[in-house]
């Protein structure tokens, strides 16, 4: 536990780092240098805490593997967890600096795309806070998720070089680098006693260098590590080519190695992109497997007790190749036989699934795997052969065997490999868990039901409430008599008693209005947008995907504008719709939806009949720090995905925790939110999963709904004719009317519009809106990441 550190001590330490690292004083240092020096001070405090820990304290360690860790900014988060945030802020002010300006110098660590990466970041915080010995493993991408720009009303993507300003958090460990091999050939060799040996020749080697980011738990008692692997060439320069004047060619080997960790999720709509993605995945799992095994042998000495001391949790299928890679290490490097190695692997690896859509389950072309990873291919084939024998013994010959094979139809199916090897498979909400058991993985669940479970996602409530919403945090501490909800989030339930208290309601209104003013300041800085702080802030912030149905919200907004044109004097509660979303660079429909939203926003925001009544604000370059500005200000949370398509969702939890009232479908974590909130405090609409399936079986005709609903006709005419910029969106309309409306927008529109009207009628009473805010915060404690990690530890990792 860190002792008390004064602001004077922090100031002295910052000034010392400025002098030692940058050759400047506190008076003439730039803000960016001040930030980096402060980060170094905090990193060194965490390093000392880590060095003081007992390295043998845990009998079992957790290794959390994820292609994404969306960490956001770390300076204030680490200072908060260490208990020195006031000292840091005071020290910066004593140096004549605006602390907020210094914090704004830090770039978001964009090592993720959305909920998957943000979940991993929240779990790292909770594992450290709860004292679990855990290491996160991912890739040290040079360029994170792209920087989104809006140009000519469209999304464009540019490189997001987060690392140059974040070097202060990263510590290179060159002495723990490992070699990862690609390509080449496998030559079989049999020894005198008949054991098979695989000799790998002709391969290309890449060096994986760990860059460690320290994660301190709340209270400063424990520090864990997020190990990020960076790719380096075995040969920085081909001197022969360089001496011949072939300067570009002389760097080719280095460039081909370093491209592996250049960017998160390279486009894979071509062979080169697929190859690079597969390289990234194997680079992560091979480096990680070697690292875990090396540390195990150093600590425990015997490879055979590996499963007793390690749990490897793979966050989605991206790290699935840890399964054959561990088999390779155990057999080829440590001399174990197949059965002994398999027994260790199947008791060490657990799999978290993050999708309910079978088409989204990851698969790789067989020839690509075979050529790029020849030894792993051999091992995968043997796993598949034995798995096939098991399936035939369980089901007999038939389609159940075929659809569950790891290798079929010229592809390697990663989820099926997880089903074959992992001792636990979990969904990320109760509904999702049931879908896995009864639909997506029903065949395997019927013969291995004990392996399937669920852990509803959770969020870091210390960051997503206490840090980003200090006004609400202060009120909670005052009402509960202490701040111990920070480690006991279930205490938020005690706020229910204050839902009818007029003074507490008034305080909630004040806090929300202050947060809206802060969000308005952000909107000006980020986009030059002038937010109406007297309007309801209605928020839909999440990855742009058709199933998340931002287009459904757009339909409603278009209708509201038309209604204001029909009757400018109608009774209308002012509202601002806020969107934040990035579309994958190659996802054309998602990018068209962004284009439509931007066209509509420009039209409405310049429409005199909508002035002071209706606004649309699309936040450019949505990221963690943007979410931290938006979420405390939100009053309505749009969670309107097609039922049965969202595995869980965590944005819904953050918004709920900050007092936003949810309008949503019975999907993902909304189900568990609704169980706690009920109809009185949450607004549900739309078809349920079974109703959607029944409608599709019966024959769903979106065009018939369109013909029968004049309001939808007017909306689609508006989309087709275009807004003030003259762009037509008839292509999106045609997809819905004649393309099957896969995500049921027309089927749910009438229910959505009616529910939205009901919601706005209720919240037109400020006291009722405040009551709803109190109740949402009060019921949100169960969605804390601490609860989720305790469930993982107890039910999956078997930790005390």
């Amino acid at each position: 536990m860190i002792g008390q550190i004064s602001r004077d001590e922090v100031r002295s330490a910052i000034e010392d780092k400025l002098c030692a690292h940058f050759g400047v004083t506190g008076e003439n240092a730039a803000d960016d240098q001040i930030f980096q020096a402060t980060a170094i001070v905090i990193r060194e405090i965490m390093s000392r805490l880590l060095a003081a820990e007992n390295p043998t304290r845990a009998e079992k360690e957790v290794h959390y593997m994820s292609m994404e860790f969306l960490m956001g900014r770390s300076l204030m988060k680490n200072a908060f967890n260490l208990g020195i945030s006031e000292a840091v802020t005071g020290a910066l002010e004593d140096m004549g600096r605006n602390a907020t300006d210094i914090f704004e110098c830090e770039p978001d660590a964009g090592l993720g795309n959305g909920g998957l990466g943000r979940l991993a970041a929240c779990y790292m915080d909770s594992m450290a806070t709860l004292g679990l010995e855990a290491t996160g493993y991912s890739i040290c991408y040079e360029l994170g998720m792209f920087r989104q720009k809006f140009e000519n009303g469209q999304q464009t993507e540019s490189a997001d070089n987060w690392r140059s300003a974040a070097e202060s958090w990263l510590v290179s460990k060159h002495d723990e680098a490992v070699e990862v091999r690609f390509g080449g050939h496998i030559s079989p060799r049999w020894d005198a006693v008949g054991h098979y040996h695989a000799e790998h020749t002709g391969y290309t080697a890449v060096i994986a260098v760990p860059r460690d980011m320290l994660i301190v738990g709340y209270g400063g008692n424990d520090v864990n590590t997020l190990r990020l692997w960076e790719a380096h060439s075995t040969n920085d320069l081909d001197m022969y080519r360089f001496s011949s004047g072939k300067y570009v060619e002389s760097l080719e080997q280095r460039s081909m190695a370093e491209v592996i960790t250049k960017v998160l999720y390279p486009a894979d709509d071509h062979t080169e992109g697929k190859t690079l993605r597969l390289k990234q995945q194997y680079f992560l799992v091979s480096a990680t497997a070697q690292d875990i095994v090396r540390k195990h042998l150093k600590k425990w000495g015997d490879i055979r007790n590996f499963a007793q001391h390690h749990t490897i949790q793979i966050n989605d299928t991206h790290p699935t190749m840890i399964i054959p890679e561990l088999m390779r290490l155990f057999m080829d490097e440590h001399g174990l036989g197949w059965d002994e190695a398999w027994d260790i692997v199947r008791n060490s690896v657990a799999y978290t699934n993050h999708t309910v859509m079978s088409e989204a389950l990851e698969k790789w072309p067989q020839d690509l795997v075979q050529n790029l990873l020849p030894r792993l291919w051999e091992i995968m084939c043997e796993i598949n052969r034995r798995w096939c024998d098991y399936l035939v013994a369980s089901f007999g010959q038939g389609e159940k065997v075929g659809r569950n094979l790891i290798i079929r139809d010229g592809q390697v199916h990663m989820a099926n490999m997880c089903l074959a090897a992992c001792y636990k498979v979990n969904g990320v909400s109760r509904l999702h868990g049931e879908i896995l058991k009864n639909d997506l993985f029903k065949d395997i669940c019927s013969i291995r039901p004990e392996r399937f479970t669920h852990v509803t996602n959770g969020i870091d409530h210390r960051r997503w409430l206490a840090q980003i919403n200090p006004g609400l945090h202060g009120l909670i501490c005052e009402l509960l008599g202490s701040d111990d909800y920070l480690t006991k989030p279930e205490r938020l339930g005690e706020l229910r008693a204050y839902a009818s208290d007029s003074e507490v309601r008034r305080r909630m209104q004040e806090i929300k209005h202050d947060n809206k003013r802060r969000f308005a300041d952000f909107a000006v800085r980020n986009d030059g947008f002038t937010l109406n702080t007297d309007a309801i802030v209605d928020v839909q912030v999440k990855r742009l995907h058709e199933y998340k149905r931002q287009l459904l919200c757009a339909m409603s907004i278009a209708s509201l504008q038309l209604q204001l044109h029909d009757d400018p004097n109608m009774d209308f509660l002012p509202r601002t719709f806020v969107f934040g979303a990035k579309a994958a660079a190659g996802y054309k429909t998602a990018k068209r939806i962004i284009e439509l939203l931007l066209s509509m926003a420009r039209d409405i925001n310049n429409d005199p009949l909508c002035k002071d009544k209706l606004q649309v604000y699309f936040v450019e370059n949505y990221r963690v720090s943007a979410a931290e500005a938006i979420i405390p200000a939100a009053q309505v949370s749009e969670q309107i995905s097609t039922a049965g398509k969202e595995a869980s969702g965590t944005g819904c939890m953050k918004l709920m925790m900050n007092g936003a009232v949810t309008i949503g479908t019975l999907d993902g974590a909304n189900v568990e939110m609704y169980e706690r909130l009920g109809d009185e405090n949450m607004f549900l609409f739309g078809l349920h999963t079974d109703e959607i399936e029944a409608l599709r079986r019966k024959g769903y005709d979106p065009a018939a709904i369109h013909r029968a609903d004049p309001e939808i006709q007017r909306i689609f005419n508006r989309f087709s004719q275009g807004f003030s910029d003259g762009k037509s969106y008839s292509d999106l309309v045609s997809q819905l009317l004649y393309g099957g409306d896969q995500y049921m927008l027309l089927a749910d529109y009438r229910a959505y519009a009616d529910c939205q009207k009901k919601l706005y009628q209720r919240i037109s009473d400020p006291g009722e809106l405040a009551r709803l805010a109190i109740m949402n915060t009060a019921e949100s404690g169960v969605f804390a990441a601490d609860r989720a990690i305790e469930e993982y530890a107890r039910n999956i990792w078997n930790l005390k």
Side-chain angles (χ1 to χ4, degrees):
M1 177 68 181
I2 186 172
Q4 190 65 36
I5 297 178
S6 70
R7 61 197 289 169
D8 290 339
E9 290 172 312
V10 173
R11 175 180 178 173
S12 177
I14 294 171
E15 290 177 335
D16 177 68
K17 301 307 173 193
L18 286 170
C19 182
H21 290 264
F22 304 102
V24 296
T25 67
E27 293 180 356
N28 58 24
D31 282 355
D32 180 65
Q33 292 171 324
I34 297 279
F35 154 67
Q36 296 207 47
T38 308
I40 293 169
V41 169
I42 292 176
R43 190 196 74 206
E44 289 183 356
I45 292 172
M46 294 190 292
S47 295
R48 291 188 178 94
L49 289 170
L50 182 63
E53 288 181 356
N54 179 0
T56 61
R57 74 183 193 274
E59 279 291 308
K60 195 170 189 179
E61 300 172 37
V62 177
H63 309 280
Y64 196 89
M65 296 186 66
S66 179
M67 287 295 285
E68 301 182 35
F69 279 89
L70 194 53
M71 302 303 292
R73 292 170 172 170
S74 295
L75 184 62
M76 278 309 294
K77 175 61 181 171
N78 287 329
F80 181 86
N81 279 3
L82 288 167
I84 61 171
S85 53
E86 289 185 8
V88 169
T89 300
L92 295 172
E93 290 172 352
D94 291 346
M95 295 174 70
R97 305 294 173 138
N98 183 317
T100 301
D101 292 342
I102 302 302
F103 303 146
E104 286 293 322
C105 289
E106 182 173 13
D108 283 56
L111 301 171
N113 180 35
L116 184 80
R118 189 54 234 164
L119 179 75
C122 288
Y123 282 178
M124 287 301 296
D125 178 88
S126 284
M127 285 187 279
T129 298
L130 296 174
L132 304 184
E133 190 163 328
T135 304
Y137 285 98
S138 192
I139 288 176
C140 192
Y141 305 100
E142 180 182 335
L143 305 171
M145 187 60 181
F146 62 81
R147 185 178 295 276
Q148 181 190 56
K149 297 283 286 183
F150 296 146
E151 296 178 354
N152 300 318
Q154 297 176 317
Q155 171 184 291
T156 61
E157 305 86 31
S158 60
D160 179 22
N161 189 353
W162 71 278
R163 223 167 61 182
S164 60
E167 286 291 324
S168 303
W169 298 119
L170 299 171
V171 180
S172 297
K173 297 288 185 72
H174 290 277
D175 58 317
E176 297 182 19
V178 296
E179 184 178 271
V180 178
R181 298 174 177 180
F182 298 100
H185 308 280
I186 301 299
S187 302
R189 181 176 65 81
W190 301 88
D191 63 21
V193 294
H195 290 157
Y196 173 81
H197 297 271
E199 294 188 355
H200 197 178
T201 58
Y203 56 82
T204 300
V206 174
I207 303 301
V209 176
R211 307 289 309 278
D212 288 354
M213 181 180 286
L214 299 182
I215 309 294
V216 62
Y218 177 70
N221 293 314
D222 290 284
V223 178
N224 286 331
T225 300
L226 172 57
R227 174 151 285 192
L228 305 171
W229 295 103
E230 184 176 73
H232 290 245
S233 173
T234 56
N235 182 14
D236 285 341
L237 185 69
D238 185 327
M239 286 302 298
Y240 178 78
R241 290 183 176 180
F242 188 85
S243 299
S244 303
K246 299 176 180 178
Y247 304 126
V248 175
E249 290 180 23
S250 70
L251 293 169
E252 183 178 359
Q253 186 175 343
R254 176 178 175 178
S255 299
M256 290 305 294
E258 291 178 353
V259 77
I260 292 172
T261 54
K262 182 66 70 175
V263 66
L264 169 69
Y265 294 149
D268 63 350
D269 53 352
H270 45 75
T271 301
E272 292 80 7
K274 284 185 173 65
T275 302
L276 180 54
R277 281 211 186 188
L278 188 61
K279 276 188 173 183
Q280 286 185 331
Q281 292 189 8
Y282 182 64
F283 176 79
L284 168 62
V285 302
S286 180
T288 298
Q290 292 180 66
D291 192 56
I292 296 171
V293 169
R294 177 185 60 78
K295 290 178 178 177
H296 171 81
L297 290 172
K298 182 178 179 181
K299 184 174 179 179
W300 301 104
D302 184 1
I303 200 68
R304 287 172 173 81
N305 63 10
F306 183 90
Q308 292 175 231
H309 301 294
H310 303 277
T311 284
I312 299 170
Q313 187 73 41
I314 59 175
N315 194 29
D316 217 347
T317 53
H318 309 120
T320 298
M321 285 185 290
I322 192 75
I323 294 164
E325 178 65 6
L326 284 172
M327 291 295 290
R328 183 189 73 80
L329 290 174
F330 292 155
M331 294 189 298
D332 296 359
E333 304 292 333
H334 299 282
L336 299 185
W338 181 279
D339 292 339
E340 195 172 14
W342 183 251
D343 191 57
I344 295 172
V345 172
R346 71 182 182 88
N347 285 292
S348 302
V349 184
Y351 161 50
T352 299
N353 174 275
H354 281 276
T355 185
V356 298
M357 296 183 283
S358 57
E359 65 271 21
L361 294 175
E362 193 178 29
K363 43 194 174 288
W364 291 100
Q366 173 183 321
D367 57 347
L368 180 59
V369 177
Q370 193 170 356
N371 293 328
L372 192 65
L373 309 169
R375 177 56 177 146
L376 248 63
W377 170 250
E378 290 185 342
I379 294 169
M380 289 179 192
C381 287
E382 182 62 15
I383 295 173
N384 186 63
R385 185 189 69 78
R386 293 175 182 235
W387 180 237
C388 181
D389 290 346
Y390 173 78
L391 293 173
V392 170
S394 300
F395 298 125
Q397 296 287 353
E399 62 179 18
K400 286 185 179 180
V401 174
R403 67 185 175 223
N404 287 292
L405 289 175
I406 297 164
I407 302 170
R408 61 180 170 87
D409 303 325
Q411 294 182 310
V412 181
H413 295 255
M414 306 310 263
N416 288 349
M417 195 184 310
C418 293
L419 296 179
C422 295
Y423 72 90
K424 282 290 183 185
V425 176
N426 74 279
V428 289
S429 69
R430 189 169 70 249
L431 175 63
H432 181 218
E434 291 302 311
I435 291 172
L436 296 188
K437 287 192 241 185
N438 300 323
D439 184 8
L440 199 62
F441 299 143
K442 63 182 179 182
D443 296 340
I444 306 307
C445 185
S446 70
I447 54 175
R448 292 177 162 182
E450 75 285 350
R451 297 198 180 196
F452 289 83
T453 187
H454 78 274
V455 178
T456 299
N457 283 346
I459 60 173
D460 172 8
H461 68 292
R462 289 170 288 273
R463 181 176 201 140
W464 291 104
L465 197 165
Q467 273 193 271
I468 70 169
N469 200 339
L472 182 55
H473 168 66
L475 177 60
I476 292 170
C477 293
E478 182 182 326
L479 296 176
L480 301 185
S482 74
D483 67 355
D484 66 356
Y485 87 93
L486 294 173
T487 54
K488 299 174 183 176
E490 64 275 9
R491 286 209 64 197
L492 288 173
E494 297 173 34
L495 297 175
R496 297 184 198 100
Y498 297 95
S500 299
D501 187 307
S502 59
E503 175 59 19
V504 175
R505 288 188 185 187
R506 185 191 64 77
R507 295 275 298 280
M508 284 293 284
Q509 292 172 28
E510 286 182 353
I511 291 164
K512 187 62 73 173
H513 197 69
D514 288 344
N515 291 338
K516 286 160 72 171
R517 282 200 294 263
R518 281 204 299 274
F519 175 41
D521 292 341
F522 167 87
V524 170
R525 290 196 311 273
N526 197 71
D527 299 288
F529 182 84
T530 302
L531 184 82
N532 178 7
T533 55
D534 292 324
I536 296 294
V537 175
D538 190 316
V539 169
Q540 190 175 17
V541 286
K542 52 186 77 243
R543 193 163 47 89
L544 203 303
H545 196 291
E546 288 165 272
Y547 84 81
K548 294 179 184 288
R549 302 204 294 191
Q550 285 93 344
L551 190 55
L552 179 62
C553 190
M555 290 171 63
S556 171
I557 297 169
S559 178
L560 292 174
Q561 184 186 23
L562 290 169
Q563 291 172 44
L564 285 170
H565 277 242
D566 292 341
D567 182 5
N569 297 315
M570 67 182 289
D571 187 16
F572 191 89
L573 184 63
R575 61 202 74 172
T576 299
F577 287 91
V578 178
F579 294 91
K582 292 180 178 179
Y587 191 172
K588 293 180 181 178
T589 300
K591 293 179 84 169
R592 278 291 281 166
I593 293 170
I594 288 179
E595 193 173 358
L596 180 147
L597 288 166
L598 291 172
S599 287
M600 185 167 65
R602 221 171 8 251
D603 187 281
I604 288 173
N605 296 338
N606 290 289
D607 184 344
L609 294 179
C610 295
K611 183 176 174 56
D612 298 326
K613 295 179 181 177
L614 181 64
Q615 280 186 313
V616 181
Y617 172 31
F618 202 126
V619 179
E620 186 177 76
N621 197 36
Y622 183 63
R623 56 204 184 277
V624 174
S625 56
E628 290 171 342
I630 296 167
I631 288 171
Q635 293 168 285
V636 174
S637 168
E638 301 271 352
Q639 306 299 328
I640 59 176
S641 55
T642 311
K645 296 299 182 184
E646 186 74 80
S648 174
T650 53
C652 56
M653 301 172 186
K654 294 163 191 164
L655 287 156
M656 175 190 183
M657 192 170 278
N658 282 271
V661 58
T662 299
I663 178 171
T665 52
L666 206 60
D667 193 30
N670 286 1
V671 175
E672 288 155 86
M673 288 167 55
Y674 177 68
E675 288 173 357
R676 305 190 71 84
L677 291 166
D679 290 324
E680 187 66 19
N681 302 300
M682 185 173 174
F683 293 79
L684 278 186
F685 73 92
L687 297 172
H688 298 182
T689 306
D690 56 344
E691 293 171 332
I692 290 173
E693 293 171 356
L695 180 57
R696 289 206 180 281
R697 284 194 301 269
K698 182 180 177 182
Y700 174 49
D701 184 4
I705 295 175
H706 174 259
R707 288 192 297 271
D709 193 321
E711 184 177 333
I712 294 178
Q713 292 172 25
R714 291 187 74 194
I715 293 166
F716 281 5
N717 287 340
R718 184 84 166 109
F719 286 177
S720 297
Q721 292 168 6
F723 298 92
S724 56
D725 57 10
K727 293 180 182 179
S728 169
Y729 296 95
S730 58
D731 53 325
L732 293 177
V733 171
S734 295
Q735 283 181 39
L736 295 176
L737 290 180
Y738 313 116
D741 187 17
Q742 182 181 359
Y743 299 109
M744 314 300 284
L745 276 73
L746 277 82
D748 274 349
Y749 177 76
R750 176 50 47 208
Y752 175 52
D754 291 346
C755 187
Q756 201 174 58
K757 184 176 181 180
K758 175 185 170 186
L759 164 62
Y760 272 88
Q761 286 172 344
R762 281 270 300 279
I763 64 175
S764 62
D765 174 4
E768 174 63 5
L769 179 56
R771 188 197 68 78
L772 286 165
I774 296 166
M775 287 301 298
N776 272 268
T777 301
E779 298 293 351
S780 67
V782 71
F783 298 112
D786 290 359
R787 183 270 315 153
I789 290 299
E790 286 172 349
E791 290 183 16
Y792 273 102
R794 182 174 59 252
N795 301 329
I796 296 179
W797 303 334
N798 300 314
L799 300 178
K800 295 179 181 178

